[in-house]
Structures are given as C-alpha cells and as structure tokens.
Amino acid sequence: MNFPNILRIVILLASLSPLAAQAVVIPLTADTNVALPNAGAAQAINIRPATKALLAFDLSTLPVGITSSDIAKATLVFYVKTVPVSGKIQASPVTQAWNETTVTAAPSQGAAAASSAIISRGNTYFALDVTNLVLDWVDIPANNQGLVLEPDSSTPAASITLDSKEAIQTSHPAYIEIALKGPAGAVGAKGDKGDKGDTGAPGLAGANGLTTSVNGVTQIAGAITLKTTHIGLGNVDNTSDANKPVSTATQNALAGKANLASPTFTGVPVAPTATAGTNTNQLATTAFASNAAGIHAIGESYGGGKVFYVYDGGRHGLIAATTDQSTSIPWYNGTYRVTGTTGDGVGAGAMNTAMIVATQISDTLAGNFAAKVCADYSVTVDGVTYGDWYLPSKFELNLMYQNIGPGAAAPLTNAGGFAAALYWGSSEYDGSNAWYQYFVSGAQNNNNKRYAFYVRAARAF
C-alpha cells in the first residue's frame, strides 16, 4: 500500500467538499512487538499469547481546532500477513512512554477498549473500532502513548503476524482513519396537512343482561335460591368438623405418618443440618457428623477457598483460592537465576514458593512476581484469616485443572472459576524457564520466566 498517496487523496477530497463530513488518515509513527532483543527494525509484528504489539500514531494531521465532539468514528486498519492460530485480538491504551528502538518489555497499559472479530486468514486488511481511544487522545493529548494489541481474553492462544512500517517492499503499515462529523443541515419546510382519516370500525357488542334462571331455578322477586343439589354438591356432609367422614385414601395417607411421640422412620429421611458447634438434642445429620469429624470433599467451600484434592479419608488435602491473585505477572523478579525449585507433587509448592521468594526477593526491591503474590495473599472467612498460601507445583496445578477446573467432570466443571488462560506453577525447568499449564486444553509446558501469565494460589489443610 502507498500510504502517503492515501493521505494526499483524503486531504484533497476534504478540501473539495468543505461542508460535508470528512475522513482524516492518522499516520503510524512507531510499531514493534515486545521482544528481547529489541524488534523495532523487524518487518513483521508478532501477536502471540506472550507477545504484545505496540503501535503509536501522530494526531497532528487532524485539522486545527478539532475536538472529540467533532469525531464520528475512528477505525484502526491493519494488514494481517499470516495467521498461525486464528482468534480475536484486543486493543488497550498504553499508559507510559516507550521507544520503538529500545523497548524490550511491555509498558503499562489500561483496560481493553476494543476487540476484533475472529481473524482466520492472512494477506488481508482488517479493521478495529478504536473510537473511544481516539476521543480520549484528542481531549487529553498527553494520554496518546499509543496502543497495545494482544490476543483477546476469549481466544488467548491466538497467533497473528502483521506487516510493520519497515516492510517497505509490501508497504502495508497500520493507520487510523477518523471520520469527522459534518455540520447540521438546514431545517426543512413544513409539510402539507394530511387528509382526514377513515371512519373507525364498529365497537364490540355489549355484555348480556342479568341471568334470570340457573340450573332450572327461576328468579323469584329478583332472587335465585339454589340448594346443594342444584349445583352438584348433594353429597356434601354438613355435620360438625369432628363428625365429618374421612376418605379411604386420606386415612391410608395419615396411617403412613410417624407419630409425634417416639416416631419410627423408614426409608431415607432428610433433616436440616445443624450449625457447626451445636450441642443440643437436635438430630445430627450425616453432613453435621462429617463436618464435626473434619471430613471434607472436592468442590467444598472450606478454609478460605475451594477444596480441589483430599486424602486420609477427606481429613487432609489442598485448597485453591476463589479468585486469581494476578492476571498478568512474570515468574522472575527481573533477573534470570536458578532457584532450585524442581520439587513436584502434593505439598511441593509450599517449599518451592519459600525458596523462590528467598532467592529472588532482592533482585528488584520494588518488584513483584508469581510466587510472591501468592505468598502475600490472605483472606478472612467467618472471622478466620488464612495467610499460608503458595504458588502450586506443576503436579498440584494439574490437580486444580482436573478436579475443579475446565478438565473436571460435571457438576464440578470449572467450579474454581478459572480463566481460559496460561497459569504459572512453582516448579522450575531451568534458569530461564518454568512450568505452566493452559487451562483450556490442560497442556503443560515450560516457557520463559519473564512472560506474564495468570496465577492461582493454593494452601494445604
């Protein structure tokens, strides 16, 4: 695409029709994807589960005096080169300055402001409505730090490659097209008075007059006197309540009820479960007995979260937090190092977390990382504060997925409320990589510790 020619054509059309709505093309000034080393000179921009694209635009091409109230719509137009994995992408505002030639880590960003349709084919232009982003930039120019493109949360595995502005042989740089509102038209002339309408349809017939006879009983002096036999109630017994007869069916039903004094039950009777700690003559249900004995089951809300593994007859097990402790946090604290946390299995995550925090805490004093947010987490339920949380091991992370995550059988399928995303575990692969799990397919793999994934804390009981 010859981008400068498009800009000249749009400006020319705007100058030829000053009273109509105009379209202005906002040129791209910087584009890259976050990578180490820096990828600012690359001819392709990669959007991956752990790789974000950064785009910046120059709003100075807008006509002088334009405000957000003059803008009808703003559309981001980009050229998709290849689609290794189809899916949606979302656009969010960048909230700190960045440089195309030096950026190697994702700058801070705001909430997602726009989402595309499914992208499934390459060598094609796609458009994304970014009106709200551009309105904010026009009103507050300092907020224009560009935007970030990444897989939409509904399709986190999407993998898409765009042409960058450095791809001069194909010349498909992204741009924003802004449609400006035209001036209001003149008020039209008042129309002629309409013709008189047709006569309406006749109304419904009126109600019938008063009844003069019921079941053969004729009105006498304005009154109709009916007996029980006239209306099919000839067999009604008008004796006192104590002497009224009871049908055989009702008598049989009453005979099957237990007496209030010393009742005897059959079958599987159900009773309300008493509150924990109750010490009265109230009947104890099996649920009350299990709670009193400290027996718990997978999927039960207990100990500040949801039980996802039990052993020793349900007296011990593992609990997952009810929410994610982060939706985007790296495994490391800014420095690659071997932490020695290769432990795996039930309970291994607690030792792994302690070793990770002790090893990495001094790398970046103000930093934060996956194991630390889990260790810092605490929650208070029914007056009890639970603060012994940790980042689960690879094995424990899979138990979460299989027992209360998307891999669980009904009715516990995703009872833990996990996102369709990548979750870090505490088991280390080597100095640069650690294990994670994809909470859609259940696949486990290792990846670079600097990538920002979800985390969900666990604790033992």
Side-chain angles (χ1 to χ4, degrees):
M1 168 187 286
N2 192 322
F3 176 79
N5 285 343
I6 287 180
L7 180 58
R8 284 194 288 269
I9 290 170
V10 171
I11 294 174
L12 176 60
L13 290 175
S15 66
L16 291 176
S17 184
L19 295 180
Q22 302 177 21
V24 179
V25 171
I26 304 302
L28 182 73
T29 58
D31 61 351
T32 186
N33 56 255
V34 177
L36 188 65
N38 173 265
Q43 296 185 11
I45 302 173
N46 296 315
I47 302 174
R48 303 284 188 268
T51 303
K52 302 180 180 182
L54 302 174
L55 306 179
F57 298 91
D58 181 9
L59 294 184
S60 65
T61 55
L62 282 171
V64 176
I66 289 296
T67 67
S68 61
S69 62
D70 300 315
I71 295 176
K73 187 176 182 180
T75 304
L76 171 65
V77 181
F78 54 93
Y79 187 83
V80 175
K81 189 174 183 180
T82 61
V83 184
V85 179
S86 63
K88 299 180 181 180
I89 62 174
Q90 63 186 28
S92 307
V94 178
T95 56
Q96 72 178 86
W98 56 278
N99 188 295
E100 176 187 53
T101 61
T102 60
V103 64
T104 57
S108 62
Q109 65 185 73
S115 179
S116 74
I118 292 289
I119 298 174
S120 59
R121 64 186 187 278
N123 297 320
T124 306
Y125 279 101
F126 284 86
L128 184 58
D129 188 339
V130 292
T131 303
N132 290 335
L133 280 176
V134 172
L135 294 180
D136 178 61
W137 294 347
V138 170
D139 284 341
I140 310 175
N143 287 352
N144 181 14
Q145 302 293 345
L147 55 83
V148 57
L149 298 179
E150 59 188 326
D152 188 83
S153 59
S154 64
T155 58
S159 179
I160 297 164
T161 300
L162 313 181
D163 259 5
S164 73
K165 71 179 190 310
E166 283 76 18
I168 57 176
Q169 292 183 341
T170 52
S171 188
H172 296 136
Y175 61 92
I176 294 178
E177 182 179 273
I178 297 180
L180 302 179
K181 300 175 183 177
V187 178
K190 184 177 181 181
D192 296 332
K193 184 177 180 180
D195 296 332
K196 183 178 180 180
D198 297 332
T199 301
L204 299 174
N208 295 329
L210 295 175
T211 301
T212 59
S213 176
V214 175
N215 285 6
V217 180
T218 305
Q219 182 183 120
I220 300 175
I224 298 176
T225 303
L226 298 177
K227 298 180 180 179
T228 57
T229 56
H230 293 145
I231 55 175
L233 298 177
N235 294 326
V236 172
D237 191 322
N238 289 324
T239 59
S240 64
D241 287 348
N243 296 322
K244 279 184 169 57
V246 177
S247 69
T248 300
T250 301
Q251 185 60 55
N252 291 339
L254 291 173
K257 303 296 182 181
N259 294 322
L260 290 177
S262 301
T264 300
F265 299 106
T266 60
V268 184
V270 177
T273 299
T275 304
T278 299
N279 185 17
T280 67
N281 291 331
Q282 180 179 351
L283 290 175
T285 63
T286 54
F288 179 83
S290 294
N291 289 337
I295 298 173
H296 303 283
I298 292 175
E300 176 186 348
S301 293
Y302 171 69
K306 192 170 289 289
V307 177
F308 69 92
Y309 176 73
V310 295
Y311 61 95
D312 193 18
R315 292 177 176 81
H316 299 285
L318 301 175
I319 299 170
T322 56
T323 59
D324 296 322
Q325 279 56 68
S326 177
T327 61
S328 179
I329 194 166
W331 199 94
Y332 79 160
N333 191 21
T335 301
Y336 292 108
R337 61 175 66 256
V338 175
T339 64
T341 56
T342 57
D344 202 10
V346 174
M351 179 59 73
N352 287 348
T353 299
M355 293 173 64
I356 295 169
V357 172
T359 304
Q360 296 187 163
I361 192 65
S362 62
D363 290 339
T364 304
L365 295 180
N368 209 358
F369 48 95
K372 185 175 182 296
V373 297
C374 291
D376 291 344
Y377 176 64
S378 68
V379 64
T380 300
V381 179
D382 295 332
V384 179
T385 298
Y386 302 94
D388 55 344
W389 300 89
Y390 60 85
L391 183 64
S393 67
K394 173 187 172 187
F395 184 81
E396 293 169 316
L397 192 62
N398 190 52
L399 288 176
M400 281 188 188
Y401 175 83
Q402 295 290 346
N403 292 338
I404 61 170
L412 294 179
T413 304
N414 206 21
F418 295 92
L422 306 176
Y423 282 80
W424 276 127
S426 61
S427 299
E428 183 179 58
Y429 182 77
D430 58 25
S432 300
N433 301 276
W435 287 96
Y436 71 88
Q437 186 155 358
Y438 185 29
F439 270 57
V440 174
S441 65
Q444 289 189 319
N445 208 335
N446 63 84
N447 212 330
N448 196 296
K449 294 177 180 178
R450 69 182 175 86
Y451 290 145
F453 294 161
Y454 282 61
V455 292
R456 180 69 69 95
R459 62 179 297 268
F461 70 93

